[in-house]
Amino acid sequence: MKNWLGLMAVGLTLAIIVSLARMHWHKAASALPATPVTNADANDEAKEAQNMVTITGPLADYMARHRDGHVDTLTPVTFTSRDPNPADHVGDSPVGTSAQLLHKTFAVTDIVDLPFQIPAHAVNPKMHGTYRSFLQRNQLQPTSAEEDDDAANVECLVLSEKQFSDMLQGHPVDPLFSGDEAHFQEVNLSIPPTWSQSAKYYLVFHNNQRGKGKKVVQADFDLDF
């Protein structure tokens, strides 16, 4: 009987010691200072977040890799309203106005853009047209064989002024229009209405395969507003 009581006393003592040790460990762990976040850690997290941004599309990928890409700008086109009255509203736009935007054959070494400006009070601006591209030989004249060659494909986009600036800096953009690379493409695009101010846009052609030679583009585009 005495042995049994002795064993119980020893067991109870061990349980109390273990319990006190656990309480002491938890208090010591909670008292430890939190590991400070250094500037280097913050910079690493910022870089990791930037790397998670995916820039899609041949032109966006190209600009992200080569921000010094060669950009040729065609003569800007500016349209004016027949009644540029500052007191007018959107509904007073000269509906039915149609103007030539781009009817030209030109070479595309890398990137060619056409800036164009839509006047204020345009109710429903629309851009429509087609373009063909082909590999340049000795002159700016296409042949059916060249037109059917995928090596002559060119990418076409329509961008707002901010989108165009972001693209040149290698930032991701969501173009108003982005067609697949092709040697023939038809474009029909509705552009947001302008209110009291005009709006600037860019029609962009991109040669994504510069190593395969210079491309030539025949473009025919009109603008309705």
Side-chain angles (χ1 to χ4, degrees), residues 143-221:
T143 65
S144 58
E146 290 171 342
E147 289 178 348
D148 292 335
D149 190 352
D150 288 340
N153 287 352
V154 168
E155 183 183 15
C156 177
L157 303 95
V158 179
L159 305 165
S160 68
E161 189 170 15
K162 183 180 185 307
Q163 290 169 346
F164 184 73
S165 175
D166 288 343
M167 179 203 72
L168 293 183
Q169 297 178 52
H171 298 319
V173 296
D174 185 14
L176 294 176
F177 173 83
S178 177
D180 295 331
E181 289 185 275
H183 54 267
F184 173 78
Q185 188 155 209
E186 182 175 355
V187 179
N188 289 286
L189 175 67
S190 292
I191 299 175
T194 58
W195 298 85
S196 59
Q197 294 182 341
S198 60
K200 189 174 184 178
Y201 294 92
Y202 290 82
L203 176 60
V204 178
F205 299 92
H206 174 223
N207 177 10
N208 192 45
Q209 299 173 322
R210 293 190 298 170
K212 294 188 177 181
K214 184 178 292 186
K215 313 288 178 65
V216 174
V217 170
Q218 287 182 332
D220 296 284
F221 286 86

Side-chain angles (χ1 to χ4, degrees), residues 40-53:
D41 294 335
N43 291 335
D44 291 340
E45 291 179 0
K47 290 179 181 178
E48 184 177 354
Q50 291 176 355
N51 291 334
M52 293 175 63
V53 177

